[in-house]
Amino acid sequence: MSDSEPPRRKILSLKSGVAAPGGPPPLERIQRPAKRVVVPEPPPAPPPPTGDFKCKPCGARFDPPAALADEDSVRCPSCNARLGLAGDFRADPPRLEKLRARYVKK
């Protein structure tokens, strides 16, 4: 350095553990939380097929609702096709000739 140049200041670094004179205290190093290992859950098993009847138009299995009156019509839960009267489903044996559904043996 020559005599004509003004004196240089020290270069301060944010990573320095030394505080600047008259300034705030040095920053503390932030600890990162340990990485959690995420174990993927196995996909849920498909539900077992349920229902005593199978819709002839779409092939979906269903149970006829028990809350319907005998004169009410039963509809397929997936394709909304009219399958027959609730009384025909409850008959023992069911009147399959009047229904648009097949009886499925379990």
Side-chain angles (χ1 to χ4, degrees):
M1 268 198 339
S2 67
D3 293 331
S4 62
E5 292 181 21
R8 293 186 179 185
R9 293 197 281 172
K10 283 185 172 181
I11 298 176
L12 298 176
S13 171
L14 292 177
K15 294 182 181 178
S16 170
V18 180
L27 298 174
E28 293 181 16
R29 184 156 256 206
I30 298 173
Q31 297 292 327
R32 290 186 179 175
K35 290 185 178 181
R36 284 190 281 164
V37 178
V38 178
V39 178
E41 295 181 16
T50 59
D52 294 322
F53 289 93
K54 189 174 184 181
C55 174
K56 283 183 182 178
C58 73
R61 289 181 149 196
F62 70 96
D63 283 323
L68 293 178
D70 286 346
E71 305 83 33
D72 292 339
S73 61
V74 175
R75 294 192 167 267
C76 175
S78 62
C79 71
N80 203 29
R82 185 178 177 280
L83 303 176
L85 297 177
D88 294 332
F89 280 96
R90 289 192 198 111
D92 191 27
R95 297 183 200 123
L96 297 177
E97 65 278 354
K98 293 186 176 184
L99 300 177
R100 290 181 64 198
R102 281 178 244 163
Y103 186 73
V104 179
K105 295 179 184 176
K106 289 187 176 182

